[in-house]
């Protein structure tokens, strides 16, 4: 009995058995591992959204966890398959396409290897489903205690693919500071979750937070940051820092993403914040 | 190795990693527990629907099961977090907002405690995600054998929040008995499941059941209760008692909830039953 | 501790707790089994789609796996409940309505039994939910080592229900060979997966594959088979053999099933392939 965990994050959906097949492959090699689904509803091919969910979830798992992420529009081309180990945090397995951008930025002490040892893949590798043929067996073998060093050749971390624009920064302007991010995920409640982290505001006073201007162009203009949903009138649109530490736009007891039954906004849409001085 | 089970019921959806994070928190504290998802597709903030699914599913689990339910529009306000123990049935963890209405009504021998011991929560508790910060660690620790008595102070069961109108009753009228309930859940097949329990009809003869008038105002008028789907012509609309013991309206091999591709009815819609005498 | 696995495939959806209840029933009888969800999003009552997903997924699981499949429009009628054992492959539990067509065709060495021993069902069996009342307890008891022979009477495999038209064949025509299949499943990416297997093309040269004409009547006309998604221009429509060995029609980095936000094609739609000679 080993108590390690493998998490799965993908854009595979839950309808086609793709995830079930990955679990079949994993359990054959590691019969007593626990598998946890993070999300399989990443917007198809949206690497930024996958990177975000991996980032906001991984730190709630034990440090011997193996995190598998597959959003892989380049499957079958020569993009690399990678395995990244972060001491005290976990192991990450993904295509080298930017899915690990947050992880790479957060943990400079990582080691990275290309998954090139054929013993870590199924005997037959398809052109379209490396989640099943490479990532799952690699995760299972690592969970069973196979050494990370056996996975394949060391990679210079500098060469790992990063998504540009994922980490917004304050742009000092003539009078007011401004920053631009985007909606990176929309949750079940219709909360618009941005890639704008709370720590960019850590030196702001409550008064300054109350004066921030948050804009989704052509859609919403909001003033100030609230503390929680529950204290506000149903139907009201608010901005707040969500449970994973990023700026969200939410409609209390409703959806900020929908107008009527139609989803009116999608991941990728720009969001700006302006800090009005004085 | 402990063989206890934790079930999860919520309106979190399966796309955002909220459920995955709860599982990460649980497995860190209780590495070999089994976790079963009941549903994470409760209509957002619909406490009645969550209460119903908890009610119709919990009795299929072993009595050492810990059931966690989170439909929590009041998170971050002063609503209580509660833990309810029912001997021979299980333990229930939820916000004190009516989610446990059916459980409270069904089991007068329950004990209730407020979750107030900080050792049962994460070290940092957010304003928006008590499913992760309080309910999950409490469930994991109870599954590991921590005593229920340690969770927090005893609560007078009379003070627990109950949803009104959840349990319909016969209204005797001049000539005919009548009752009013509502659609509490719509399943994958488009079956309209009501909160009208089969046991309200236990003294009815087959002839009386055949004469019942079931009405969804402005939508459907049905006569009589059928025994199963399979014996009826595809496309026909029928009323029957479903597998969990509640009145359902179903379209054989089709959906009673949809007109074309559009969902035409939502949870909360009124349903009446009239028993025509003689 | 036993390391066997039970897989679940159904059209129950994930919103109503039907699957959670099956897991409760299973864990009560087999507390340490692993349960893997294949899909619960089969198009309601679409037996062919369920048969297909069972076929394309089962071989990735260990041979002591018990596969439960429930797409069951005839529940409550006199259709049989069956249990099929295939040496070195696994055990399959389903209603006898064609769900096992591919399994029956693939493995002539199977044994089949009707599930008729009441000890393999719950004490109370409903008219509408045999997934809970019969299939789940049978699977759990077999996973615990109860002998297959105890399930019920032997069935002549010739009498098992098969879906017609599931396995397309080449029709030799005057000049050109032709075959007709249908879209059997549409995945999360909007890939149109057909029931046309790759092995019907195993004697084709690359040049012959490049000349194939693939048609979805009134919708798409395609020429030739591509090797993977990644090498082709985003937005382009292609035909390729998918990861489970069947012909698919895909839009690179997009959806072949949707026009705008609307799903324009559904499972069941005809697809033809014409091999142009010379």
């Amino acid at each position: 009995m080993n108590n390690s965990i493998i998490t799965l994050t993908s854009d595979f959906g839950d309808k086609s058995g793709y995830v079930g097949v990955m679990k079949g492959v994993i359990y054959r090699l590691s019969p007593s591992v626990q598998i946890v689904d993070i999300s399989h509803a990443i917007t198809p091919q949206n690497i930024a959204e996958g990177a975000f969910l991996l980032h906001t979830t991984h730190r709630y798992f034990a440090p011997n966890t193996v995190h598998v992420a597959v959003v892989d529009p380049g499957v079958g081309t020569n993009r690399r398959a990678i395995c990244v180990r972060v001491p005290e945090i976990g192991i990450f397995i993904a295509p080298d396409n930017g899915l690990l951008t947050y992880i790479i930025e957060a943990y400079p002490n990582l080691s990275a290897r290309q998954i090139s040892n054929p013993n870590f893949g199924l005997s037959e590798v398809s052109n379209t489903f490396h989640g099943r043929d490479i990532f799952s067996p690699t995760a299972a073998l690592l969970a069973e205690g196979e050494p990370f060093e056996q996975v394949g050749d060391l990679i210079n971390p500098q060469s790992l693919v990063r998504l540009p624009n994922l980490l917004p920064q304050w742009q000092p302007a003539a009078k007011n500071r401004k920053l631009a991010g985007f909606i990176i995920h929309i949750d079940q409640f219709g909360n618009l979750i941005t890639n704008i982290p709370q720590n960019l505001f850590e030196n702001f006073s409550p008064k300054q937070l109350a004066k921030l201007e948050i804009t989704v162009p052509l859609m919403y203009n909001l003033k100030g940051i609230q503390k929680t949903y529950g204290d506000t009138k149903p139907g009201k649109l608010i901005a707040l820092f969500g449970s994973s530490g990023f700026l969200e736009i939410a409609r209390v007891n409703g959806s900020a993403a929908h107008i009527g039954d139609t989803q009116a906004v999608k991941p990728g849409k720009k969001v700006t914040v302006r800090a009005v001085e004085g």
Side-chain angles (χ1 to χ4, degrees), chain A residues 83-85 87 91 111-117 120 138 141-142 145-155:
Chain A
C83 183
V84 164
R85 184 176 59 177
I91 288 178
S111 319
R113 290 182 179 271
Q114 182 164 6
I115 306 172
S116 51
N117 180 345
F120 281 74
T138 301
L141 292 172
L142 291 170
E146 290 290 320
F148 172 69
E149 289 71 20
Q150 292 296 314
V151 163
D153 296 336
L154 267 179
I155 292 177

Side-chain angles (χ1 to χ4, degrees), chain A residues 239-277:
Chain A
L240 76 170
F241 294 117
S243 59
S244 43
F246 288 83
L247 184 69
E248 300 184 14
I249 295 165
R251 192 178 295 285
V252 178
N253 290 11
S255 168
H258 290 77
I259 295 176
D261 281 343
T262 308
Q263 185 160 329
V265 61
K266 294 195 174 156
K269 196 159 174 48
K270 189 177 174 180
V271 177
T272 61
V273 180
R274 203 160 64 100
V276 186
E277 308 290 338

